[in-house]
Amino acid sequence: MTTFRSDTAILIQQFLATRLHSESLCHPLSAEDMGMQADAFVSPPKWHLAHTTWFFETFILSPLVSGYRVFHPRFEYLFNSYYNGVGEQFDRGKRGLLSRPNVDEVLKYREHVDTAMQAALQSPELFSEEDYATVCERCVLGIHHEKQHQELLLMDIRYMFFQNPLLPAYDDSHSLDASSNESASITDIRWLEVAGGLVDIGVRASDIGEGSADFYFDNESPQHSFFLNKYEIADRLVTNGEYLQFIQENGYDNPECWLADGWSHVNSEHWQHPLYWLYEKGEWYEFTLQGKQPLDLTAPVTNISGYEAAAYAHWAKARLPTEQEWENAARLYNGDGYDGNEALSNHDVSLSSSLVEDNTVALIQASDSAWQWTSSAYQPYPGYRPEAGAIGEYNGKFMSNQWVLRGGCHLTPNAHLRFSYRNFFYPDDRWITAGIRLARDVETARNVEVAQ
Amino acid sequence: MTTFRSDTAILIQQFLATRLHSESLCHPLSAEDMGMQADAFVSPPKWHLAHTTWFFETFILSPLVSGYRVFHPRFEYLFNSYYNGVGEQFDRGKRGLLSRPNVDEVLKYREHVDTAMQAALQSPELFSEEDYATVCERCVLGIHHEKQHQELLLMDIRYMFFQNPLLPAYDDSHSLDASSNESASITDIRWLEVAGGLVDIGVRASDIGEGSADFYFDNESPQHSFFLNKYEIADRLVTNGEYLQFIQENGYDNPECWLADGWSHVNSEHWQHPLYWLYEKGEWYEFTLQGKQPLDLTAPVTNISGYEAAAYAHWAKARLPTEQEWENAARLYNGDGYDGNEALSNHDVSLSSSLVEDNTVALIQASDSAWQWTSSAYQPYPGYRPEAGAIGEYNGKFMSNQWVLRGGCHLTPNAHLRFSYRNFFYPDDRWITAGIRLARDVETARNVEVAQ
Amino acid sequence: MTTFRSDTAILIQQFLATRLHSESLCHPLSAEDMGMQADAFVSPPKWHLAHTTWFFETFILSPLVSGYRVFHPRFEYLFNSYYNGVGEQFDRGKRGLLSRPNVDEVLKYREHVDTAMQAALQSPELFSEEDYATVCERCVLGIHHEKQHQELLLMDIRYMFFQNPLLPAYDDSHSLDASSNESASITDIRWLEVAGGLVDIGVRASDIGEGSADFYFDNESPQHSFFLNKYEIADRLVTNGEYLQFIQENGYDNPECWLADGWSHVNSEHWQHPLYWLYEKGEWYEFTLQGKQPLDLTAPVTNISGYEAAAYAHWAKARLPTEQEWENAARLYNGDGYDGNEALSNHDVSLSSSLVEDNTVALIQASDSAWQWTSSAYQPYPGYRPEAGAIGEYNGKFMSNQWVLRGGCHLTPNAHLRFSYRNFFYPDDRWITAGIRLARDVETARNVEVAQ
Amino acid sequence: MTTFRSDTAILIQQFLATRLHSESLCHPLSAEDMGMQADAFVSPPKWHLAHTTWFFETFILSPLVSGYRVFHPRFEYLFNSYYNGVGEQFDRGKRGLLSRPNVDEVLKYREHVDTAMQAALQSPELFSEEDYATVCERCVLGIHHEKQHQELLLMDIRYMFFQNPLLPAYDDSHSLDASSNESASITDIRWLEVAGGLVDIGVRASDIGEGSADFYFDNESPQHSFFLNKYEIADRLVTNGEYLQFIQENGYDNPECWLADGWSHVNSEHWQHPLYWLYEKGEWYEFTLQGKQPLDLTAPVTNISGYEAAAYAHWAKARLPTEQEWENAARLYNGDGYDGNEALSNHDVSLSSSLVEDNTVALIQASDSAWQWTSSAYQPYPGYRPEAGAIGEYNGKFMSNQWVLRGGCHLTPNAHLRFSYRNFFYPDDRWITAGIRLARDVETARNVEVAQ
């Protein structure tokens, strides 16, 4: 899962920085916030802090470090997310009932594990060469696992606060000023033509960098050939303003736009607009981590399900790209790839306020953008094989019924911004920061243009 | 609902003592505990603190105190339990999602309302005579409303902690020593014969005392005639040991013992023993507010549903008493009634450890006992009429599908221990501290004795 | 359960007439109608025919008739409704999946059992005296059991046809002519005052007649004393026209009228009018066994839940009577009781079209009226004890969560029209032909009159 | 959707033969069978007969035939399956409640439409050239639509009869003799190696034949290039005997074998074996259209979900093929394709009793075999575009969350046996006759062989 060979000092530094960052994300939260679970698909912030710790304890300290004493014998059960190979798990939908351990105890648990991890990393002499390599490899995996949870943590907090009629702000340091964008002119979507043919898909050397960034998840591999027809892809994401037009032209009432399963959701869950949009006294707002804000019509639409993304695309006489089309176009139009090596401390959790990039053909809009639903079902790449044992449950067993998303959003850790990264969610998931990039067949494109 | 005429100083003292007691019950809790809701039928401790405050603000301060400013405009909505006359209510099942307001804000809310209430009570000159009487009457009602919530608070805490595999103790000041009871001999149930005939049922002057105890809920009135056949009633409650025999003789597998609706619950919810019983390595335990404890076989069985109470009674060749039988017997065998005027500070929240009373014919086992399921459906007494307006929703609208319980348990405030008090829950509710007192027809009793 | 001593010839005649009548009720039905089940609380017509046959086979032929061979070994399981004492039951909600046995086989099953029953009844010499008495007693019970199912059958057919957008008519021999009633003037409700005091409630000799009518269900006994306050009761049922006024004055939108559990149903099931009412192009219709008909405003309102009955009563500044008030008033104002001995063949299944009776103070409007919701929970009378064994499951185990209805409707077999008959349904049941008779406290009555 | 050019006489003949065949499939059914619906995902036989008729009326007769009078105005609503473009649909889960129209009326409906269809087909002079071409094209589509329903009809009947404890046989003309197969030796699976590379996928001229067989569904097109790694595929399906070994080695208890969503189903629905297997007194049976039969260990396992197929493959150290691998291998190893042009009357609905084919490398086991789950999500082929209007809802809107199955089973009409046919179901569907063909990566294959 990693080709890791790294300097221990750098690894320790990255480990500690990641661990610290998770805790710093919780600073604006009260103890009650830390324990709250709004639905079965989200987790309490405290649980994220404990589970990421559990990962290091379960896969490194307990099996590999001689003499390690677990912090609490029941935590293996309480903070196991879904690893059947480790054992039974506490009911996912009831994580909000774990008022104990309280925040202080969870922070002590983190400290206990961090201390033991540092000691282990600093003492290769206590391990066989193979075991020490495993310790380091799994440490890198644990770091990236925790980074994924940092992003989830912020998406979960937004969702949880949205349930509260008081609409609390996670970050009230500033209000977004959408008015400054009102005059901003959004250029029409430009269609970038891609030749296709037999292309290479999947992680390659240039996707990964130095140190802990020298990492990828197993689901990004192996690299393989894939044949693509000629296609066109949009140079930017669909905006709130464009999506509003879909709503105003009755997109949510027109079954013709929708996949059958999507139409069922529209009706059973009464979807009428993106998850966080609010309509009050003739004005549209969006609930953000900064609280309720006027809807920014020039920002990319987000927090829509895959079904909504597909319905919008149908309405716009286009379609969603496949994940292969997305990756291929991204490699072609973005030169040297993401700036994934920025310092962690620079990460900005503010909501996107702008679509415009210096790089005017930025296919992947980095830190102020959105994950992009593809039309591809999440399935293994040809030749993919998960690792043996519980750690093999990380990715492989989820390869059914979910859709692939590509790109990244303003909450995504920089280290996860790369061409080959495959995110995946169920097509009815809406609490994730996901939006729409359109694609179309070349022939279709022509016909549509003629028809207009 | 009250015949209240009282000295203002006493009323203020009782108001403050009640308010203080609610907060003191929360001292052992962490902030996360305060926000936790384990199921729709229980509420977070923090919510209890806020809702009881809401009651004073909504029914006294806002409508009657000129110039009163509400603490927060949304609290009317957030902390309304079920008063449709007041307006919409925040979804009962989602109270656990209100991480905000946090505990500190709720305590400030309490302080704000307490200050305003004191000022109002001390200033009769600011009101018309009728309005001031209403202020005082509703203050008494609010005090007793809060006392009911104090009992619910403790039952809810026990239920919530039970969801946590760590089985936390609310009160870890001492462990119960069930072993000391092992040698305790429980005398067989003695059957007290009651003549019946045309008796008076419902609240009367001797049930209520001085000061704020000069109070009863409207559902206890009006007093009325009721005809009873001759019957027998047990002199004590059914013990855990006796109930264990019912389990061991397959009571939970024998449909003959059960009401049809009860049998449905046994099967759909897999009831096999009282809610808080645990069976581990051949030993029975009970989860209590002091954590997991060995099951005390001499203590009264509690935390069973009404269906289980009725099934046990059937198995024991007896039945549950009607509420009229219970009240009539209680008045006959308990002389001057409950000792309901003890100081609040003396209230003991420890779990019952003993059935034996000095008063050997104590029909109502006071501070260390259990609510007692009757066979009576909760319905209005003849001539009952609820008050007009939202405050009339207090009792009247619940008079369907619930069963009456009589007596009181070790968590019940002393001021609610009286012969005429009518508690009520759904027959499948199990998180309440309710047990079994048996009754039987006189003729039946004879036959059974002959048959043995 | 019966004081049966009868002439065998009469019993056989009644048995055969009852059996024949069940089949004749199915004549208008197609084979597909016979197998259809619209919801778990109703049964397919074919199932009613088989289950009533099962009753005779299970409780008489199999246990008491030497050498009897069951028609099919699996029918004991398939057609057991709820007798746990007999064994497991086929899932109630899946009776509509039993396309086999088909109608012809069920009719053969009936013939097989009828032949065996006749043979048994005609051959007392083959039994001990006690066994023959049991055969006869259970035969009478089986006859009355089948009569109850005849009524259910017709209510179930109406409910089933209502699910079909084609709105088929069970009986299309004639259309109801509501227009003839339009000019009919309905006199205002007159309030009959009843003195109350200590009265006798429950079945007595005058309630039961000769032959098989010499019968009552065990839940009607034993007779016992009951104390009633003075009260008033309406001389007729509430009409569709009166109920329409409740709707038009927003009764379904006003929580103040409703019991809390009723209000939940109004909101979750979107009740806005009685079950069978239809509103089309500005006109009200009612779906009946004769198909869709204009709503007769002078007929009694029916097919409302107990919650709706109670809400209407609250809105009308009255209440529902208790079952004791109902029975006591019925005995006082109806002289010699129901005309329950009419020939079965005279029974009229047409929908009620008139409220007016020759007997102008008819408290119980017999063949063209409705069951009347009382406010009483269905509970055992003092001293009630069910029979031992499976046959004791007939009534006793249902004595929780249901409400008592009194009277009878146009679908009720004459033999079940008596003062002491206790019908019972859940308060949210609406497919039964049940309506409203109002009562009120005497004092309340005065006040309301003054207020108007 | 079709490249139809055909002689009218042949078309009429095929139309009538297809229509007749649907009715003949219902001959063994009683009227009650015809109306029964066992679950929302199956339909009553009568409904299949009506809906296939509705298709011709709705898409041909009503829009294109001047002066056509619909048989019944409400049938458009009652028998619309899922075409939002046509209008509202009667609730899918309630089709079993439509006892009316009865079977006779549905047969009259069929006759009415058949007559009008024949008249239309025979009278090109009454249409414009374009309209007549549409009539013919849609007639071909309607024929193949009905053929799909013929297969569903038989699968639905089996599922419905399985709900009945009497386990009725649809076809009791003969019992299967599994014992004759007991001595049959099943050769070990042989792995056929396929070179892969850039291959053509999708329908081509050789897949379709003469007359109405000159047809394919739009989801099979367009033909396109696809790159395949080298792979191996099994020469036959997995047998009941092999699957039994998976069960006996605790496959259903081992989460390691399962996709996460599959494991959820195993636990929530308590899957322990294929849908129709029965274990009684130490022996395995299978419920078939011929009733309960001894399990034939040499027959292909069927009626498993896609999750079970994938779990078995994991356990067998293999995987499911992708749909492209399946199609490519089928074309390579089966020469001239299916024998899809046999007369309809030869179609055999008996359950498969043998795996052995004359053609020993038959990749697609035709008339006595099973649909084969692939690992491919059902998604549009590159360049796929559905037709405009309601008829475009046929395939396109289902392209999410389902899996592709390839091949065909003994119930599949011959005209649907072709290399390019794409069947699709949800991965938890089990009532379809679907089994397992294994595939594996070439490298994996080697490793496994070495490991053994």
Side-chain angles (χ1 to χ4, degrees), chain B residues 84 198 224-227 229 255-256 258-261 263 307 375-377 379 382-385 389 396-401 403 426-427 441 443-444 447, chain C residues 84 198 224-227 229 255-256 258-261 263 307 375-377 379 382-385 389 396-401 403 426-427 441 443-444 447:
Chain B
N84 295 310
L198 199 62
H224 58 283
S225 296
F226 197 92
F227 187 85
N229 285 348
E256 206 181 315
W258 295 81
L259 286 162
D261 290 343
W263 186 241
Y307 295 127
S375 66
S376 297
Q379 298 203 291
Y384 168 79
R385 271 186 298 160
K397 74 179 182 181
F398 298 109
M399 290 176 172
S400 67
N401 307 321
W403 289 11
Y426 288 97
D441 296 341
E443 206 185 354
T444 309
N447 292 344
Chain C
N84 295 309
L198 199 62
H224 60 283
S225 297
F226 197 91
F227 187 86
N229 284 349
E256 206 181 316
W258 295 81
L259 286 162
D261 289 344
W263 186 242
Y307 294 127
S375 67
S376 297
Q379 298 203 291
Y384 168 80
R385 272 185 299 160
K397 74 178 181 181
F398 298 109
M399 291 175 171
S400 67
N401 307 322
W403 290 11
Y426 288 98
D441 296 341
E443 205 185 355
T444 309
N447 292 344

Side-chain angles (χ1 to χ4, degrees), chain A residues 255 258-269 271 305-308 401 403 427-428, chain D residues 84 92 378 396-403 425-427:
Chain A
W258 295 82
L259 287 163
D261 289 343
W263 186 242
S264 296
H265 276 87
V266 167
N267 287 287
S268 64
E269 299 172 31
W271 291 346
S305 63
Y307 295 127
E308 287 164 297
N401 308 321
W403 289 12
D428 60 329
Chain D
N84 295 309
R92 177 171 189 160
Y378 178 49
K397 73 178 182 182
F398 299 108
M399 290 176 172
S400 66
N401 307 321
Q402 308 205 43
W403 289 12
F425 283 96
Y426 289 97

Side-chain angles (χ1 to χ4, degrees), chain A residues 84 198 225 227 229 255 258-261 263 307 375-377 379 382-383 396-398 400-401 403 426-427 441 444 447, chain D residues 84 198 225 227 229 255 258-261 263 307 375-377 379 382-383 385 396-401 403 426-427 441 444:
Chain A
N84 296 310
L198 200 60
S225 296
F227 188 84
N229 285 349
W258 295 82
L259 287 163
D261 289 343
W263 186 242
Y307 295 127
S375 68
S376 296
Q379 298 203 290
K397 74 178 181 181
F398 298 108
S400 68
N401 308 321
W403 289 12
Y426 289 97
D441 296 342
T444 308
N447 290 344
Chain D
N84 295 309
L198 200 61
S225 296
F227 188 85
N229 285 348
W258 295 82
L259 286 162
D261 289 343
W263 186 241
Y307 295 127
S375 68
S376 296
Q379 299 204 290
R385 269 185 301 159
K397 73 178 182 182
F398 299 108
M399 290 176 172
S400 66
N401 307 321
W403 289 12
Y426 289 97
D441 296 342
T444 309

Side-chain angles (χ1 to χ4, degrees), chain C residues 195-439:
Chain C
L198 199 62
V199 302
D200 285 332
I201 296 295
V203 70
R204 62 192 66 175
S206 63
D207 290 333
I208 51 181
E210 306 294 319
S212 81
D214 182 7
F215 172 84
Y216 56 89
F217 286 105
D218 62 353
N219 63 0
E220 305 170 44
S221 71
Q223 199 186 13
H224 60 283
S225 297
F226 197 91
F227 187 86
L228 290 174
N229 284 349
K230 191 190 284 192
Y231 64 101
E232 292 185 344
I233 195 162
D235 71 331
R236 62 162 174 78
L237 302 196
V238 170
T239 64
N240 284 324
E242 288 163 335
Y243 197 85
L244 185 56
Q245 200 186 346
F246 167 68
I247 295 174
Q248 288 166 342
E249 296 187 11
N250 301 315
Y252 281 94
D253 301 320
N254 181 4
E256 206 181 316
C257 299
W258 295 81
L259 286 162
D261 289 344
W263 186 242
S264 296
H265 277 86
V266 167
N267 287 287
S268 64
E269 299 172 29
H270 311 292
W271 291 347
Q272 290 296 324
H273 51 69
L275 173 59
Y276 290 123
W277 287 23
L278 300 161
Y279 190 70
E280 292 176 7
K281 298 179 185 159
E283 299 292 332
W284 284 101
Y285 299 87
E286 187 169 22
F287 178 71
T288 73
L289 286 169
Q290 284 76 35
K292 191 175 80 171
Q293 302 290 342
L295 182 67
D296 180 353
L297 297 178
T298 67
V301 66
T302 62
N303 294 97
I304 50 169
S305 63
Y307 294 127
E308 288 164 295
Y312 176 87
H314 181 101
W315 174 82
K317 295 192 172 55
R319 57 175 174 79
L320 301 180
T322 64
E323 63 168 323
Q324 293 85 7
E325 288 173 335
W326 190 97
E327 180 174 329
N328 180 239
R331 292 188 189 283
L332 284 174
Y333 282 95
N334 280 273
D336 294 335
Y338 287 100
D339 49 354
N341 290 316
E342 293 177 17
L344 280 161
S345 57
N346 286 350
H347 187 76
D348 178 12
V349 298
S350 70
L351 188 74
S352 167
S353 59
S354 157
L355 267 182
V356 187
E357 295 269 312
D358 291 340
N359 175 356
T360 51
V361 287
L363 187 64
I364 305 175
Q365 290 139 334
S367 71
D368 59 352
S369 185
W371 287 100
Q372 296 154 43
W373 285 106
T374 74
S375 67
S376 297
Y378 179 48
Q379 298 203 291
Y381 281 166
Y384 168 80
R385 272 185 299 160
E387 284 201 29
I391 217 156
E393 299 184 50
Y394 201 99
N395 274 310
K397 74 178 181 181
F398 298 109
M399 291 175 171
S400 67
N401 307 322
Q402 309 205 42
W403 290 11
V404 174
L405 300 99
R406 292 297 193 103
C409 75
H410 64 287
L411 309 174
T412 311
N414 289 349
H416 289 176
L417 297 173
R418 64 179 164 271
F419 296 137
S420 56
Y421 193 96
R422 304 174 80 197
N423 206 346
F424 50 93
F425 284 97
Y426 288 98
D428 60 327
D429 285 332
R430 305 176 90 212
W431 95 106
I432 50 168
T433 309
I436 311 169
R437 182 185 300 280
L438 299 176

Side-chain angles (χ1 to χ4, degrees), chain C residues 89-254:
Chain C
Q89 301 113 45
F90 184 67
D91 186 344
R92 177 173 189 159
K94 298 190 167 176
R95 290 174 185 166
L97 305 186
L98 298 174
S99 63
R100 315 288 178 96
N102 64 20
V103 174
D104 287 344
E105 288 166 304
V106 167
L107 292 177
K108 277 181 202 145
Y109 178 36
R110 290 181 70 88
E111 195 181 342
H112 175 87
V113 163
D114 290 352
T115 304
M117 279 297 298
Q118 277 188 79
L121 290 169
Q122 286 165 342
S123 313
E125 68 280 7
L126 299 176
F127 301 87
S128 70
E129 194 173 336
E130 188 189 338
D131 276 3
Y132 186 68
T134 302
V135 166
C136 293
E137 271 183 45
R138 292 191 174 177
C139 181
V140 172
L141 179 61
I143 288 170
H144 288 281
H145 169 259
E146 184 146 353
K147 285 179 188 294
Q148 289 184 319
H149 276 276
Q150 288 166 2
E151 182 169 356
L152 283 172
L153 178 63
L154 292 166
M155 298 201 294
D156 290 2
I157 289 169
R158 187 176 174 193
Y159 184 77
M160 291 174 190
F161 279 166
F162 189 57
Q163 313 307 311
N164 192 326
L166 303 178
L167 293 178
Y170 163 75
D171 171 11
D172 52 8
S173 59
H174 62 289
S175 266
L176 298 181
D177 186 2
S179 62
S180 66
N181 285 319
E182 288 196 7
S183 56
S185 64
I186 290 290
T187 342
D188 282 355
I189 281 177
R190 280 187 297 158
W191 294 96
L192 312 177
E193 186 168 303
V194 187
L198 199 62
V199 302
D200 285 332
I201 296 295
V203 70
R204 62 192 66 175
S206 63
D207 290 333
I208 51 181
E210 306 294 319
S212 81
D214 182 7
F215 172 84
Y216 56 89
F217 286 105
D218 62 353
N219 63 0
E220 305 170 44
S221 71
Q223 199 186 13
H224 60 283
S225 297
F226 197 91
F227 187 86
L228 290 174
N229 284 349
K230 191 190 284 192
Y231 64 101
E232 292 185 344
I233 195 162
D235 71 331
R236 62 162 174 78
L237 302 196
V238 170
T239 64
N240 284 324
E242 288 163 335
Y243 197 85
L244 185 56
Q245 200 186 346
F246 167 68
I247 295 174
Q248 288 166 342
E249 296 187 11
N250 301 315
Y252 281 94
D253 301 320
N254 181 4

Side-chain angles (χ1 to χ4, degrees), chain A residues 58-78:
Chain A
T58 302
F59 291 119
I60 301 176
L61 298 175
S62 287
L64 295 166
V65 176
S66 160
Y68 174 74
R69 294 184 63 175
V70 297
F71 182 75
H72 190 293
R74 296 294 282 159
F75 284 12
E76 176 180 299
Y77 168 69
L78 287 182

Side-chain angles (χ1 to χ4, degrees), chain B residues 22 75 81 89 103 151 159 173 178 195 200 225 267 307 403 431:
Chain B
S22 298
F75 284 13
S81 52
Q89 301 113 45
V103 174
E151 182 169 356
Y159 184 77
S173 59
D200 286 332
S225 296
N267 287 288
Y307 295 127
W403 289 11
W431 94 106

Side-chain angles (χ1 to χ4, degrees), chain A residues 8-30:
Chain A
T8 298
I10 293 177
L11 179 56
I12 292 176
Q13 181 192 342
Q14 288 171 333
F15 171 77
L16 293 176
T18 302
R19 299 286 288 166
L20 191 63
H21 187 60
S22 298
E23 292 168 23
S24 74
L25 289 175
C26 296
H27 284 169
L29 303 179
S30 72

